[in-house]
Amino acid sequence: MSFGTRPFAALGASALREGLLDGQFSAREAAEACLARIGRYDGGVGSFLEVTPEMALRAADEVDEKVAMRRFEELGPLAGVPVAFKDNMNLAGAHTTCGSRVLAGHVARETAVCVQRVLDAGAIPIGKLNMDEFAFGSSTETSAFGRTCNPWDLERVPGGSSGGSAAAVAAGFVPIALGSDAGGSIRQPACLCGVVGVKPTYGLVSRQGVEAFAESLDQVGPFTRCVEDAALAIDVLAGRWSAGAWQTELSRAVRDDVRGMRVGMVPSFMDVAGLSGEMREAVLRAADALALQGASLREVEIPGAQVAMDAYRVLGPCRAFENLACFDLARYGVEDAQKLPLAVGAEARRRIVLGGYLLSTDEGARYRSAAKEVCRRIVDDYKHAFGSVDVILAPVTPRAAFRFGEITDPTEMHLSDMFTVSVNLAGNTAMSMPMGLGSQTGLPVGVQIIAAAGGEREMLRAAAALERAIGGPSVAPLFSA
Ligand code: GLN
């Protein structure tokens, strides 16, 4: 068996497919190579909470059977592609813990719609990925099952809450991982780990079978190492693909150039105190690269984004409080419900207490109605901006990956989301696109590309143009062998 001139770790979906169809390797061999890499290296990264070799090999054999019988018209666009899932997504027969001790030992009986869609498209289920407890956090340090390290520097966080998903892709364990984003949990870790991470338009991907943090904000999306794979994954997640066709509408659209594209810049985002020089430079470099390829730049403003964090910190905990109420512990592992306050970690406790207060007091009601008003304003602000531009470039997060334990103040940790939450409040789509390594830290930096609801096509076109200009994301050097 040979994976061509490139190591298995570097292969994306299209290279895997070509290899499979050319008979260079079988889906079983690719799955075995993937499992072997995880066995060998994930001890140092800690991205997986559970690996599912039996499921993986069974799925791989099914793909190989179709290839052997030359039933290519039955293969989906992700045939033979190893994929792993954030641990808040149900995969029947595997654990779903949401990174919480409360759910330790809980085995899912059903498969989430998003996971099933990926499997129906031929993907190989590799396992479940670490995350901040109940998706509360920006560093994956709040998982009850230990930390995940950033593959670019094992002393640093991968970001969160989908830190396991970002790290698994950055370490070359899987070409595609799924994460969820209620306030930045796909985009921020993607940026810190130097991979592509997309939060699709609100509602594009079913949330059924994904443990909820905040239904009005949550959105499932992919982490990948190239824009084409992200495009494929989004279409698969949205159910927009047909068997026998390797490309989808979005994966074809990324080949179009950006001539004439109107690109917005938000001056007030660029002036935020706390935005590091190298993250600022990444946005400016992206703007230059798009302008060089024929896009036009103009300034727009999203005034409501200034108070987006305040609204998010009211609405998020309210939904979280209601959602966590369903874990009456008797059914999920810990017998004694009295243990709840101790069973969950400090960040989850803070949100439960805050949500309870906001939902049960008059003062809370005033905060909630103010927060809803902010959402309406932000929706209008984005609508207005997208009247004159096709995409907006913005920072993803203020700074590159920080060290474990470096940020202990919860308020400071929440600032990681300052550039991402307004997008969830508005229901738009946005992504993090790697922009190489920062001039200050030498760690991955990225740019956020924001588009209107349903604007994935324009967004991915801009991302692909950056990929052509800057060079795509790569596997972290420590793991590139
Ligand atoms: N970091 C954010 C938070 O702590 C985002 C979480 C998310 O998107 N799930 O709430």
Side-chain angles (χ1 to χ4, degrees), residues 235-260:
D235 271 337
V236 165
L237 287 168
R240 301 186 299 213
W241 60 276
S242 35
W246 298 122
Q247 294 294 331
T248 63
E249 203 186 311
L250 281 178
S251 74
R252 271 188 297 267
V254 302
R255 298 183 195 143
D256 299 345
D257 65 39
V258 292
R259 254 173 298 173

Side-chain angles (χ1 to χ4, degrees), residues 86 135-138 160-161 180-185 213 312 351 414 417:
K86 185 175 182 178
F136 304 150
S138 305
S161 64
S180 62
D181 187 313
S185 281
F213 161 4
Y312 175 77
R351 298 200 191 200
H414 293 160
D417 310 322

Side-chain angles (χ1 to χ4, degrees), residues 265-272 275 280 283-284 393-395 419:
M265 301 283 287
V266 187
S268 60
F269 283 179
M270 303 299 279
D271 292 337
V272 167
L275 175 63
R280 194 167 184 279
V283 182
L284 297 175
L393 296 183
F419 300 111

Side-chain angles (χ1 to χ4, degrees), residues 247-320:
Q247 294 294 331
T248 63
E249 203 186 311
L250 281 178
S251 74
R252 271 188 297 267
V254 302
R255 298 183 195 143
D256 299 345
D257 65 39
V258 292
R259 254 173 298 173
M261 186 182 277
R262 299 164 307 165
V263 176
M265 301 283 287
V266 187
S268 60
F269 283 179
M270 303 299 279
D271 292 337
V272 167
L275 175 63
S276 69
E278 60 185 7
M279 285 297 189
R280 194 167 184 279
E281 282 161 27
V283 182
L284 297 175
R285 261 192 298 131
D288 284 348
L290 293 180
L292 261 176
Q293 295 183 59
S296 63
L297 301 179
R298 56 193 76 182
E299 291 187 350
V300 291
E301 267 310 337
I302 312 289
Q306 308 290 343
V307 281
M309 284 293 290
D310 303 306
Y312 175 77
R313 287 178 64 189
V314 171
L315 299 176
C318 290
R319 295 288 88 76

Side-chain angles (χ1 to χ4, degrees), residues 134-420:
F134 292 115
F136 304 150
S138 305
S139 65
T140 313
E141 289 170 292
T142 74
S143 167
F145 305 112
R147 66 195 201 181
T148 297
C149 303
N150 189 314
W152 288 83
D153 178 345
L154 300 174
E155 301 291 308
R156 291 173 190 270
V157 304
S161 64
S162 314
S165 309
V169 173
F173 297 152
V174 282
I176 301 178
L178 298 190
S180 62
D181 187 313
S185 281
I186 292 176
R187 289 161 285 164
Q188 187 257 9
C191 181
L192 269 45
C193 290
V195 297
V196 178
V198 182
K199 183 207 93 74
T201 301
Y202 177 72
L204 185 67
V205 183
S206 165
R207 293 188 310 279
Q208 198 183 322
V210 180
E211 300 301 335
F213 161 4
E215 292 87 337
S216 55
L217 306 171
D218 289 340
Q219 186 56 220
V220 167
F223 290 85
T224 63
R225 283 189 307 270
C226 65
V227 175
E228 189 193 356
D229 284 2
L232 267 182
I234 293 165
D235 271 337
V236 165
L237 287 168
R240 301 186 299 213
W241 60 276
S242 35
W246 298 122
Q247 294 294 331
T248 63
E249 203 186 311
L250 281 178
S251 74
R252 271 188 297 267
V254 302
R255 298 183 195 143
D256 299 345
D257 65 39
V258 292
R259 254 173 298 173
M261 186 182 277
R262 299 164 307 165
V263 176
M265 301 283 287
V266 187
S268 60
F269 283 179
M270 303 299 279
D271 292 337
V272 167
L275 175 63
S276 69
E278 60 185 7
M279 285 297 189
R280 194 167 184 279
E281 282 161 27
V283 182
L284 297 175
R285 261 192 298 131
D288 284 348
L290 293 180
L292 261 176
Q293 295 183 59
S296 63
L297 301 179
R298 56 193 76 182
E299 291 187 350
V300 291
E301 267 310 337
I302 312 289
Q306 308 290 343
V307 281
M309 284 293 290
D310 303 306
Y312 175 77
R313 287 178 64 189
V314 171
L315 299 176
C318 290
R319 295 288 88 76
F321 176 87
E322 291 168 342
N323 283 317
L324 291 188
C326 75
F327 295 125
D328 68 59
L329 306 176
R331 280 189 295 140
Y332 289 97
V334 182
E335 279 88 4
D336 185 358
Q338 298 302 320
K339 288 183 190 153
L340 173 61
L342 295 174
V344 299
E347 183 61 24
R349 261 201 309 272
R350 268 195 292 278
R351 298 200 191 200
I352 294 168
V353 170
L354 179 57
Y357 164 77
L358 289 164
L359 286 167
S360 62
T361 60
D362 290 344
E363 206 178 358
R366 282 195 291 279
Y367 278 117
R368 283 185 283 132
S369 74
K372 285 188 188 137
E373 187 51 43
V374 168
C375 286
R376 278 189 285 273
R377 253 176 70 190
I378 294 176
V379 169
D380 287 347
D381 287 350
Y382 273 115
K383 266 206 190 112
H384 186 249
F386 287 122
S388 63
V389 296
D390 302 305
V391 296
I392 294 174
L393 296 183
V396 184
T397 191
R399 46 183 289 202
F402 37 94
R403 290 180 191 282
F404 289 103
E406 188 177 335
I407 301 186
T408 48
D409 173 17
T411 311
E412 201 189 332
M413 188 69 90
H414 293 160
L415 292 180
S416 299
D417 310 322
M418 65 163 93
F419 300 111
T420 47

